[in-house]
Amino acid sequence: RDSGLSVSDCRINDEGCLAKCSCEEDFIGSQWCELTREEQAMKRVMRTQVIGNALHLMTQEYPDQFAIPGWISTLVDATQVSDELTDSNMVGVLDATVSIVEMVSKVETSSNVLTGLFSAVD
């Protein structure tokens, strides 16, 4: 649990604390503050396009034992960098996840294909 307290020493093997960077002005992103705000915004736009394309593809393809694993793989890949996801992206991925789970129950495919899907919404 984040107490919000600053400590002078937080080592890797210390389970009592977790280091968190405080970004300099105009920098943002992940745990290393390596992106400018413009770079982060561009990455979010690109991530939105990838997720939008994946969601569109799901409406165009017939859900079968070949298409569903492809959709899952695409969603998992598209959600690897959580800092690049907008709230809208996360809602879209969650909705897609629900749809895929429902489709798997109706299509002749193993429910084992769902194992990787849950990392997309973790």
Side-chain angles (χ1 to χ4, degrees), residues 18-44:
L18 178 65
K20 182 177 177 184
C21 292
S22 178
C23 298
E24 292 181 15
E25 189 175 339
D26 292 330
F27 282 84
I28 192 170
S30 80
Q31 50 192 317
W32 299 286
C33 303
E34 79 278 12
L35 301 173
T36 65
R37 292 187 184 280
E38 294 80 24
E39 290 169 330
Q40 180 74 357
M42 189 182 321
K43 285 183 173 270
R44 285 185 174 164

Side-chain angles (χ1 to χ4, degrees), residues 55 58 72 75 90-104 114 117-121:
L55 299 178
M58 287 177 60
I72 291 170
L75 289 175
M90 290 186 273
V91 168
V93 169
L94 186 56
D95 289 346
T97 300
V98 170
S99 295
I100 289 172
V101 170
E102 291 171 354
M103 284 183 232
V104 166
L114 295 175
L117 178 62
F118 300 115
S119 68
V121 293

Side-chain angles (χ1 to χ4, degrees), residues 43-53 84 86 89:
K43 285 183 173 270
R44 285 185 174 164
V45 166
M46 289 187 291
R47 190 69 59 181
T48 296
Q49 290 173 341
V50 169
I51 291 171
N53 290 340
E84 296 175 6
T86 64
N89 292 150

Side-chain angles (χ1 to χ4, degrees), residues 59-113:
T59 66
Q60 302 301 306
E61 286 187 325
Y62 182 77
D64 60 20
Q65 72 269 22
F66 304 107
I68 292 173
W71 300 340
I72 291 170
S73 176
T74 299
L75 289 175
V76 168
D77 289 345
T79 57
Q80 290 297 308
V81 184
S82 61
D83 287 340
E84 296 175 6
L85 298 174
T86 64
D87 290 344
S88 177
N89 292 150
M90 290 186 273
V91 168
V93 169
L94 186 56
D95 289 346
T97 300
V98 170
S99 295
I100 289 172
V101 170
E102 291 171 354
M103 284 183 232
V104 166
S105 69
K106 297 175 186 172
V107 175
E108 288 185 29
T109 188
S110 169
S111 60
N112 290 338
V113 299

